Amino acid sequence: MFESLSDRLTQSLRSITGKARLTEDNIQGTLREVRMALLEADVALPVVKQFVESVKARALGQEVMASLSPGQAFLKIVQAELEQVMGGVNEGLDLATRPPAVILLAGLQGAGKTTSAAKLARLLKERDRKKVMMVSADVYRPAAIRQLETLAGEVGVDFFPSDETQKPVAIARAALEKARISFADVLIVDTAGRLAVDEAMMAEIAELERELTPAETLFVVDAMTGQDAANTAKAFGDALPLTGVILTKVDADTRGGAALSVRSVTGKPIKFLGVGEKTAALDPFHPDRLASRILG
Ligand code: GDP
């Protein structure tokens, strides 16, 4: 996870750690290195600029000038900025509503929606002792419905059957009713993905959103796509009241550009990281822990 970013950043900070004094001149080279490291990690350019400006302003501030080891202070500043750019604090799910609380998942094809639905179901069942039901509104790919059914069986939660002859909104309405009468706490709704965020996808999700009034509408996006992940999430969030993002395949992402860009570009928090193919591989997103991990 983020190995190349971590190596590159740590390396770029090496020259500054022993410095007894920080001046505009002697931090210039390090700032340039940090900028390069972030660009190589595929962090969105405006985010990189803001990051470097902010580190510079703080490094030349009074507090650091007066500190005993300015080099160490510089490291701390970079760490604090990393934490900040990723959203600062952990934001969990807000399911405080009259049950069943609906979680609507959207994302491009192959992003990891169906897998994430099962991971969330497992987490809510095991950690929060919730009664969970899942349903798939992906009427274009019957295999996706079967995949969700298999996963529901695997994690041991209720599954509401649907098929490709139905309309997504009719499936949603029926599933919600069933969840209500069977006293489910949470209904997780998986939706159809497309190759790009297009009008048809947005129209369908918007209709589902109106029908379900979800407690959480999460955009599931593949970390391997770097800053594009942030851009697709933004396109989606501009059209719908998105409450957060699940960043998947972080286990395979060495660069970290998506994790560092999503919050700034979309204004929405990353709530979870997908860190593997298994249903247990879902971690709540903690910017502070990740920032210190990146700087080793
Ligand atoms: P969907 O089309 O958005 O529903 O995507 P799927 O849930 O079917 O996932 C697509 C592929 O990505 C599958 O092979 C999953 O096993 C894989 N996948 C999903 N999440 C993760 C993750 O966090 N890490 C890894 N390594 N693979 C994942």
Side-chain angles (χ1 to χ4, degrees), residues 7-47:
D7 289 351
R8 191 72 171 72
L9 260 189
T10 317
Q11 203 183 329
S12 61
L13 294 170
R14 200 157 286 152
S15 64
I16 200 107
T17 43
K19 291 267 189 313
R21 230 165 61 82
L22 299 184
T23 65
E24 186 138 13
D25 271 354
N26 74 9
I27 65 170
Q28 209 58 260
T30 303
L31 287 174
R32 203 177 311 119
E33 291 280 315
V34 168
R35 181 185 155 89
M36 283 307 297
L38 296 175
L39 288 173
E40 277 170 30
D42 203 22
V43 179
L45 186 58
V47 180

Side-chain angles (χ1 to χ4, degrees), residues 83-267:
E83 190 177 324
Q84 176 83 18
V85 82
M86 291 190 287
V89 291
N90 167 254
E91 289 200 36
L93 297 174
D94 182 3
L95 301 179
T97 179
R98 198 155 58 94
V102 173
I103 303 177
L104 182 63
L105 297 180
L108 300 183
Q109 212 171 81
K113 276 181 312 297
T114 306
T115 312
S116 297
K119 289 174 173 179
L120 272 179
R122 178 170 174 164
L123 186 94
L124 291 167
K125 179 188 171 200
E126 292 181 358
R127 185 191 69 182
D128 301 342
R129 305 280 165 226
K130 299 281 192 203
K131 182 172 160 60
V132 181
M133 180 179 287
M134 294 206 285
V135 63
S136 173
D138 188 350
V139 294
Y140 314 99
R141 288 194 311 146
I145 301 177
R146 287 195 299 275
Q147 185 192 350
L148 191 71
E149 181 170 21
T150 305
L151 287 167
E154 217 174 274
V155 299
V157 300
D158 293 337
F159 175 75
F160 184 81
S162 53
D163 68 64
E164 68 273 21
T165 65
Q166 297 171 284
K167 288 219 159 18
V169 71
I171 294 173
R173 195 176 299 143
L176 188 58
E177 183 52 27
K178 177 71 180 173
R180 208 169 269 141
I181 59 175
S182 51
F183 301 105
D185 299 306
V186 183
L187 175 67
I188 300 177
V189 183
D190 191 10
T191 61
R194 286 187 172 76
L195 295 175
V197 177
D198 61 19
E199 261 174 50
M201 177 182 180
M202 289 316 302
E204 185 177 301
I205 291 274
E207 201 184 357
L208 285 171
E209 208 273 339
R210 279 194 302 272
E211 181 67 33
L212 292 163
T213 49
E216 292 277 354
T217 301
L218 302 174
F219 193 69
V220 180
V221 68
D222 180 345
M224 303 285 283
T225 61
Q227 58 173 304
D228 274 353
N231 296 331
T232 31
K234 177 161 170 37
F236 183 85
D238 284 347
L240 267 186
L242 192 61
T243 57
V245 171
I246 300 181
L247 198 59
T248 63
K249 309 185 195 181
V250 175
D251 52 309
D253 176 27
T254 65
R255 301 193 301 168
L260 266 60
S261 305
V262 163
R263 181 60 194 246
S264 290
V265 173
T266 66

